[in-house]
Amino acid sequence: MSRPRRVAGLGALLAVAATLALTGCSGGDGGSDWKDDCTTTDGIVECAPEHRPAAPAVSGELLDGGTYDLAQERGQVVVVNFWGSWCAPCRSEADDLEETYQATRDRGVRFLGINIQDGRDKAKGFEAAFKISYPSLFDPPSRLALAFDIPPNSIPATIVLDRESRIAVVIRSGVTRAGLEPIVARVADEQPPGGPN
């Protein structure tokens, strides 16, 4: 095989690997079938309800004390954001996340931050500086990020879970309110199985 064909083949292989890594957010049974039926546009992976994997178990210590378990949010849309005080794009999106939370919380939407690879004082300082009002789990070893297949060096990342705690949307970059709010609203407006409550 000639060098140009080998390089082209390697480029195609790397593109496939990158796509699989981007959509590899399953915390469910580890199966890959759901990925094939999800769409990826501009780094945003969206899955139709019938192809959504279950989110992994999420529980732990809150940054400001106390404990949290995602299971308590069943029936709510949950926006999970992975962040660190040391992450410049995380600082850029902080206001947009808080504004989206305030704009959507009356629609049955909850936000949860997951702080990774950070010190507690620095993380609390970050939240105070940006007036973050939703809770964050303190996860210095990035255990929860890895459970969602989010490499710690690829944050910020935001995952939208539907009302059945399934992964509906994965965003592997910083978000803006203009981009995030319509996505969250769309998932919040979905009718549960069996129709409206």
Side-chain angles (χ1 to χ4, degrees), residues 13 22 34 36 40 59 63-64 68 73 78 91 101 113-114 118 124 132 134 152 154 165 168 173 177 181 188 193 195:
L13 181 61
L22 181 66
W34 70 273
D36 298 334
T40 303
S59 63
L63 188 56
D64 61 359
Y68 175 92
E73 305 293 3
V78 181
R91 289 192 292 275
Y101 168 60
I114 299 182
D118 219 340
K124 288 173 84 171
I132 303 300
Y134 53 86
S154 70
S165 296
S173 63
R177 179 179 176 180
E181 189 172 337

Side-chain angles (χ1 to χ4, degrees), residues 77-157:
V77 171
V78 181
V79 178
V80 182
N81 177 258
F82 295 89
W83 64 279
S85 66
W86 44 268
C87 161
C90 299
R91 289 192 292 275
S92 296
E93 71 175 4
D95 288 336
D96 291 277
L97 285 162
E98 177 64 24
E99 289 170 7
T100 304
Y101 168 60
Q102 295 297 335
T104 60
R105 66 183 185 167
D106 289 340
R107 300 175 75 170
V109 177
R110 304 293 177 256
F111 273 54
L112 174 68
I114 299 182
N115 174 257
I116 67 171
Q117 296 187 336
D118 219 340
R120 189 181 298 271
D121 289 342
K122 288 183 179 179
K124 288 173 84 171
F126 176 101
E127 287 197 325
F130 290 102
K131 299 180 175 66
I132 303 300
S133 63
Y134 53 86
S136 280
L137 287 168
F138 185 53
D139 186 29
S142 308
R143 178 182 54 83
L144 295 171
L146 294 172
F148 277 97
D149 289 339
I150 302 293
N153 64 349
S154 70
I155 66 166

Side-chain angles (χ1 to χ4, degrees), residues 158-182:
T158 300
I159 296 176
V160 181
L161 306 179
D162 68 14
R163 295 185 191 278
E164 295 181 45
S165 296
R166 300 174 303 180
I167 297 171
V169 181
V170 179
I171 305 169
R172 299 291 288 269
S173 63
V175 298
T176 62
R177 179 179 176 180
L180 181 60
E181 189 172 337

